[in-house]
Amino acid sequence: MSPRETVICIGCPLGCRVTAVTDRKGTVTALKGAECKQGQKHVLEELRNPVRTLTATVRTGDESFPLLPVRTSRPVLKVMLRPIMRETAKVKVKPPVKAGDIVIANVLKTGADLVATADWPAPGEGV
Amino acid sequence: MASRVDVAVIGAGPAGLAAAVAARERGAERVVIIERAEQLGGLLPQCIHNGFGLLYFKRDMTGPEYEKAFIDMARSRGVEAMLEAMVIDLDAERGITAVSRRHGYMKIKPGSVVLAMGCRERARGALGIPGTRPAGVMTAGTCQRFVNIEGYMPGSRYVILGSGDIGMIMARRLTLEGAKVEAVVEIMPWPGGLIRNEVQCLHDFGIPLLLEHTVTFIHGEERVEGVTVAKVDAERRPVPGSDRFLPCDCLLLSAGLIPENELSCRAGVEIDPVTGGPVVDQNRQTSVPGVFAGGNVVQVHDLVDWVSWEAEAAGRSAAAYADKGRLKRADGVRVLPGKNIRYVVPQFISGKDDVTLHMRVTRPGLKATVKVGGVMWKRYRTVRPSEMVILEVKGQALREAGVKGELAVDCEIRGGD
């Protein structure tokens, strides 16, 4: 690990550029540039194990509604984004689906489920 | 549509849905949303990414989830919707002409109208990029629809012109779907979208953001083969000799959104030349009595949460107008954008009641102070053109200051970018 690393904090619109100084073992010894405590926490987390919520689509096989939008039920490690994308390409869902339904449980053992974010079939006229 | 309509809402995006729900909650008997698409939600169904609802619902939601929350509310409050119905005219007396395959030609005279038509993307014709006219040039939102709704990948190698949020979000989406995004090209010295998108969509995937650059030529006969990218000077003109060729088979445009106000203009609604949307008072009433407006048709918002809130205000006012046949204008004071402020919405306030001012600054800066005349001021650690500045002003403070006529809003910036 490089002794210095800069992370842009996205905890709030301020977008602090925080520089972390690490020792030879990779332990963070100092943080410079964070305006708040929460930002420091966020940056430490971002350096240690950055996580993201993944959103994607899965196939339905239906002509008029070919894709169902999905998300991970919680943020997953950043390095898992591409492997999970490959999993989404392998599945096909069948109607009816409700938002929140699990499409893949504990996807790639990340502890997150891949869940639908929309109802299918979609609601029609008349609201 | 023989029976009476109290409030007609034009557009079923986040603004239309929120306005309709609020109008019902404020007592309007019959609230009808008229929507040209075949489903509700406007652009939300194709915005499959998260980041919605953090303010409104205090939850990190995707576009479809945010949409569903409002559709569920609309359904439980008895809002009616006419889908695949296109409003083709609105007159100065709130007369709506609409057509649909199902209902044919319709004339509706509602008690009041809410304009919620949203906005559309700036297209190639408005940017004036030289070159040929091959396939593969499209707006970021069009590409988003192809990829997220229809299941097509329009290309495999992309350049994105403009660093608006949709462009950056598509950069990530296309990369995750296996495409190569060569660069996001931004003519301004700062990104056009939110910081979180710059970090999570570009930095995360090593996608270059070329600030103070633009596309000066599009190459290719049948299909895009590449673009010429050049650095620009302080006047935003290409610097000779700085150009280079970037190969790609798609050029996405994410260079600004334009409020969609053709109908507003037909009704004679006064348009603010800066926002591109109707001039509204504190109640979101336009210059035409009984016609209200909310959401991106008024001003292009940064977050959907603010769209919903603004449209709710319009919906409540529209319900009040439909009930009494009138609504006193809250336009005692004209709010004027001053130093470093591009615009302020609403353009008119009562000068007596609490009001939330929405504004955009002209340039980014640190340690900013926004001053509302002699009434009040507020410090901001940072301001950016890509983010709305929201400022609540107390009615008591306005009354005590005895504000009359005009009120200027200025932003003092002490630090640099």
mmCIF file of all heavy atoms in Angstrom, chain A residues 10 14 27 33 36 38 74 99 104 106 116-117 119 121 124:
data_model
loop_
_atom_site.group_PDB
_atom_site.id
_atom_site.type_symbol
_atom_site.label_atom_id
_atom_site.label_comp_id
_atom_site.label_asym_id
_atom_site.label_seq_id
_atom_site.Cartn_x
_atom_site.Cartn_y
_atom_site.Cartn_z
ATOM 1 N N ILE A 10 -17.758 11.202 0.252
ATOM 2 C CA ILE A 10 -19.058 11.483 -0.356
ATOM 3 C C ILE A 10 -20.166 11.444 0.688
ATOM 4 O O ILE A 10 -21.328 11.269 0.382
ATOM 5 C CB ILE A 10 -19.376 10.533 -1.529
ATOM 6 C CG1 ILE A 10 -19.213 9.078 -1.095
ATOM 7 C CG2 ILE A 10 -18.493 10.843 -2.716
ATOM 8 C CD1 ILE A 10 -19.736 8.108 -2.132
ATOM 9 N N LEU A 14 -20.130 18.453 0.558
ATOM 10 C CA LEU A 14 -18.869 19.161 0.722
ATOM 11 C C LEU A 14 -17.754 18.509 -0.090
ATOM 12 O O LEU A 14 -16.924 19.192 -0.696
ATOM 13 C CB LEU A 14 -18.500 19.166 2.213
ATOM 14 C CG LEU A 14 -17.624 20.294 2.727
ATOM 15 C CD1 LEU A 14 -18.206 21.643 2.363
ATOM 16 C CD2 LEU A 14 -17.510 20.181 4.240
ATOM 17 N N THR A 27 -1.483 0.375 8.258
ATOM 18 C CA THR A 27 -2.392 0.970 9.241
ATOM 19 C C THR A 27 -2.429 2.482 9.039
ATOM 20 O O THR A 27 -1.387 3.115 8.864
ATOM 21 C CB THR A 27 -1.919 0.658 10.673
ATOM 22 O OG1 THR A 27 -1.609 -0.731 10.736
ATOM 23 C CG2 THR A 27 -2.999 0.974 11.691
ATOM 24 N N GLY A 33 -7.716 16.590 6.170
ATOM 25 C CA GLY A 33 -8.630 17.188 5.208
ATOM 26 C C GLY A 33 -10.103 16.912 5.438
ATOM 27 O O GLY A 33 -10.944 17.493 4.770
ATOM 28 N N CYS A 36 -15.321 16.642 9.161
ATOM 29 C CA CYS A 36 -16.149 16.156 10.263
ATOM 30 C C CYS A 36 -15.758 14.746 10.659
ATOM 31 O O CYS A 36 -15.061 14.046 9.929
ATOM 32 C CB CYS A 36 -17.640 16.231 9.903
ATOM 33 S SG CYS A 36 -18.157 15.024 8.680
ATOM 34 N N GLN A 38 -17.796 12.113 11.020
ATOM 35 C CA GLN A 38 -18.446 11.111 10.182
ATOM 36 C C GLN A 38 -17.659 10.880 8.896
ATOM 37 O O GLN A 38 -17.556 9.772 8.406
ATOM 38 C CB GLN A 38 -19.858 11.555 9.840
ATOM 39 C CG GLN A 38 -20.910 10.766 10.571
ATOM 40 C CD GLN A 38 -22.293 11.318 10.282
ATOM 41 O OE1 GLN A 38 -22.477 12.524 10.160
ATOM 42 N NE2 GLN A 38 -23.254 10.433 10.147
ATOM 43 N N ARG A 74 -28.034 -4.853 0.315
ATOM 44 C CA ARG A 74 -27.142 -4.000 1.109
ATOM 45 C C ARG A 74 -25.860 -3.795 0.307
ATOM 46 O O ARG A 74 -25.611 -4.521 -0.651
ATOM 47 C CB ARG A 74 -26.853 -4.664 2.449
ATOM 48 C CG ARG A 74 -26.253 -6.068 2.257
ATOM 49 C CD ARG A 74 -25.441 -6.461 3.428
ATOM 50 N NE ARG A 74 -26.246 -7.028 4.483
ATOM 51 C CZ ARG A 74 -25.711 -7.566 5.577
ATOM 52 N NH1 ARG A 74 -24.396 -7.548 5.748
ATOM 53 N NH2 ARG A 74 -26.465 -8.118 6.490
ATOM 54 N N ALA A 99 -41.715 -5.957 -6.063
ATOM 55 C CA ALA A 99 -40.513 -5.259 -5.593
ATOM 56 C C ALA A 99 -40.154 -5.811 -4.218
ATOM 57 O O ALA A 99 -41.023 -5.957 -3.364
ATOM 58 C CB ALA A 99 -40.774 -3.763 -5.514
ATOM 59 N N ILE A 104 -31.699 -13.554 -6.339
ATOM 60 C CA ILE A 104 -30.635 -14.481 -5.950
ATOM 61 C C ILE A 104 -30.356 -14.247 -4.457
ATOM 62 O O ILE A 104 -30.002 -13.127 -4.073
ATOM 63 C CB ILE A 104 -29.317 -14.250 -6.739
ATOM 64 C CG1 ILE A 104 -29.550 -14.306 -8.257
ATOM 65 C CG2 ILE A 104 -28.267 -15.286 -6.314
ATOM 66 C CD1 ILE A 104 -28.294 -13.972 -9.079
ATOM 67 N N ASN A 106 -28.309 -14.377 -1.047
ATOM 68 C CA ASN A 106 -26.902 -14.365 -0.626
ATOM 69 C C ASN A 106 -25.963 -14.503 -1.825
ATOM 70 O O ASN A 106 -25.172 -15.444 -1.916
ATOM 71 C CB ASN A 106 -26.673 -15.481 0.402
ATOM 72 C CG ASN A 106 -25.314 -15.355 1.064
ATOM 73 O OD1 ASN A 106 -24.640 -14.319 0.971
ATOM 74 N ND2 ASN A 106 -24.885 -16.421 1.734
ATOM 75 N N ALA A 116 -35.562 -7.706 -6.487
ATOM 76 C CA ALA A 116 -36.270 -6.932 -7.509
ATOM 77 C C ALA A 116 -36.580 -5.549 -6.946
ATOM 78 O O ALA A 116 -36.852 -5.408 -5.748
ATOM 79 C CB ALA A 116 -37.557 -7.641 -7.903
ATOM 80 N N THR A 117 -36.544 -4.509 -7.807
ATOM 81 C CA THR A 117 -36.905 -3.163 -7.334
ATOM 82 C C THR A 117 -38.181 -2.658 -7.991
ATOM 83 O O THR A 117 -38.563 -1.514 -7.806
ATOM 84 C CB THR A 117 -35.768 -2.150 -7.571
ATOM 85 O OG1 THR A 117 -35.552 -2.011 -8.978
ATOM 86 C CG2 THR A 117 -34.478 -2.581 -6.901
ATOM 87 N N ASP A 119 -42.356 -3.949 -9.499
ATOM 88 C CA ASP A 119 -43.376 -4.985 -9.668
ATOM 89 C C ASP A 119 -43.447 -5.374 -11.137
ATOM 90 O O ASP A 119 -43.288 -4.532 -12.020
ATOM 91 C CB ASP A 119 -44.763 -4.448 -9.263
ATOM 92 C CG ASP A 119 -44.854 -4.141 -7.781
ATOM 93 O OD1 ASP A 119 -43.968 -4.583 -7.034
ATOM 94 O OD2 ASP A 119 -45.814 -3.444 -7.393
ATOM 95 N N PRO A 121 -46.078 -8.031 -13.453
ATOM 96 C CA PRO A 121 -46.347 -6.945 -14.380
ATOM 97 C C PRO A 121 -46.491 -5.592 -13.687
ATOM 98 O O PRO A 121 -46.901 -5.533 -12.529
ATOM 99 C CB PRO A 121 -47.669 -7.356 -15.042
ATOM 100 C CG PRO A 121 -48.183 -8.509 -14.311
ATOM 101 C CD PRO A 121 -47.158 -9.020 -13.394
ATOM 102 N N GLY A 124 -51.154 -0.932 -14.289
ATOM 103 C CA GLY A 124 -51.695 -0.359 -15.523
ATOM 104 C C GLY A 124 -52.483 0.906 -15.288
ATOM 105 O O GLY A 124 -52.291 1.598 -14.289
#
